[in-house]
């Protein structure tokens, strides 16, 4: 077939929970119905890796047996960068990161390796989805896999503005009990950080981050509110960290009298 418009779309699938994660497998199966999917995912659990890249040591890629693709040592962003540069035969039409086990709503985007991988795709001009099941202990990825497929088809058909990622969080409910999709802004509610102090068998103290990651919504149109109301929360996020309003004020608030 020479008609490029009729070929199956190509999707790069990655995550931050590691290549053995059931969320990755669920996304692979759902997306394979509509696209040629190549998996490039971390060998180990890398949640919280955000946009970490590995410098100063070799990256090794091992071919997978059960799915087409590779597992790569180290981080989700390493996976995307290496996939786009070296492992894939061509540029994918879409990068999907997930399905993460646990919420990446609100300010969790700043820590999330799931979101980091999707942002890396956006940085090089490939549309991307980050998808998370907003429950750390819920094993059923069926509804979130269906959500992943639906939104992947939308983005493949309609594209995304340059530098944009859709950050998608799915409440842990059966498909029939999802209330629908809601276009949201990122919740800015504070995380409940709490480090539990324990002692190791030799009596030396250590600390374990144990705070709740259940965010409370603050305004009606934020993602945390949508999730707690039973909606799939879709937040358009961007690689551009410029504060638009402050930029628009021209800098006089801080730079007056400094020249320039
Ligand atoms: Mn994770």
């Amino acid at each position: 077939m020479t008609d490029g418009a009729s070929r199956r779309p190509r999707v790069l699938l990655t995550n931050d929970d590691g290549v053995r994660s059931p969320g990755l497998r669920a996304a692979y199966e759902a997306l394979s119905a509509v696209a040629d999917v190549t998996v490039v995912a971390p060998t180990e659990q890398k949640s919280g890796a955000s946009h970490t890249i590995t410098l100063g040591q070799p990256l090794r890629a091992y071919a997978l047996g059960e799915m087409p693709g590779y597992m790569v040592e180290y981080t989700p962003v390493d996976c995307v960068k290496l996939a786009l540069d070296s492992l894939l035969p061509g540029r994918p039409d879409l990068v999907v990161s997930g399905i993460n086990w646990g919420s990446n709503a609100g300010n969790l985007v700043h820590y999330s390796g799931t979101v980091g991988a999707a942002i890396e795709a956006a940085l090089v001009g490939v549309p991307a989805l980050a998808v998370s099941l907003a429950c750390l202990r819920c094993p059923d990825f069926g509804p979130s896999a269906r959500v992943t497929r639906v939104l992947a088809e939308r983005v493949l058909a309609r594209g995304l503005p340059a530098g944009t990622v859709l950050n998608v969080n799915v409440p842990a409910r059966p498909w029939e009990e999802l209330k629908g999709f809601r276009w949201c802004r990122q919740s800015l509610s504070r995380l409940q950080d709490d480090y539990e102090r324990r002692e190791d068998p030799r009596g030396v103290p250590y600390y374990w981050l144990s705070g709740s990651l259940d965010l409370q919504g603050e305004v009606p149109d934020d993602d945390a509110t949508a999730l707690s109301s039973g909606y799939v929360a879709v937040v358009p996020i961007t690689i551009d960290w410029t504060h638009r309003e402050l930029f628009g004020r021209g800098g006089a608030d801080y730079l007056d009298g400094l020249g320039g």
Side-chain angles (χ1 to χ4, degrees):
M1 182 124 17
T2 55
D3 178 9
S6 61
R7 70 170 170 80
R8 269 164 70 86
R10 289 189 291 243
V11 172
L12 168 62
L13 176 62
T14 189
N15 75 348
D16 77 355
D17 293 330
V19 73
R20 298 177 199 86
S21 167
L24 182 82
R25 164 66 66 166
Y28 172 76
E29 287 171 2
L31 291 168
S32 291
V34 295
D36 290 336
V37 183
T38 305
V39 173
V40 182
T43 53
E44 306 295 338
Q45 166 60 247
K46 288 292 174 189
S47 294
S50 184
H51 217 93
T52 306
I53 54 172
T54 302
L55 301 169
Q57 51 189 313
L59 294 181
R60 299 195 190 277
Y62 303 96
L64 297 172
E66 299 178 344
M67 299 178 281
Y70 301 85
M71 56 181 176
V72 172
E73 285 178 327
Y74 312 122
T75 74
V77 173
D78 289 334
C79 289
V80 173
K81 292 175 84 68
L82 190 63
L84 295 179
D85 183 82
S86 303
L87 299 178
L88 297 184
R91 189 178 172 86
D93 301 296
L94 173 69
V95 170
V96 174
S97 183
I99 300 166
N100 188 62
W101 211 336
S103 174
N104 279 313
N107 281 340
L108 290 168
V109 291
H110 293 289
Y111 305 88
S112 168
T114 305
V115 173
I119 287 285
E120 179 59 30
L123 284 171
V124 295
V126 180
L129 291 175
V131 186
S132 303
L133 174 59
C135 176
L136 269 175
R137 292 179 191 82
C138 304
D140 182 9
F141 285 93
S144 54
R146 199 161 158 184
V147 164
T148 303
R149 174 180 157 174
V150 166
L151 289 176
E153 287 186 285
R154 283 287 166 99
V155 172
L156 284 165
R158 301 179 185 182
L160 274 177
T164 307
V165 166
L166 296 185
N167 182 36
V168 181
N169 281 273
V170 184
R173 296 180 171 212
W175 175 264
E176 308 75 41
E177 292 175 24
L178 292 175
K179 289 203 181 155
F181 292 76
R182 192 173 269 179
W183 197 245
C184 299
R185 66 166 116 166
Q186 173 187 328
S187 166
L188 298 177
S189 59
R190 300 278 293 270
L191 302 178
Q192 300 296 310
D193 273 354
D194 184 16
Y195 284 86
E196 195 168 315
R197 184 186 186 280
R198 297 186 185 179
E199 290 187 359
D200 74 13
R202 294 187 174 83
V204 180
Y206 65 90
Y207 302 85
W208 199 294
L209 181 57
S210 61
S212 167
L213 298 179
D214 293 328
L215 298 170
Q216 303 301 313
E218 293 187 318
V219 290
D221 60 354
D222 75 24
D223 53 359
T225 300
L227 281 172
S228 59
S229 308
Y231 290 90
V232 177
V234 182
V235 180
I237 59 176
T238 172
I239 60 175
D240 183 355
W241 287 9
T242 310
H243 192 297
R244 289 286 159 187
E245 187 201 339
L246 202 49
F247 176 72
R249 284 191 225 156
D253 298 347
Y254 300 98
L255 306 183
D256 55 304
L258 297 180

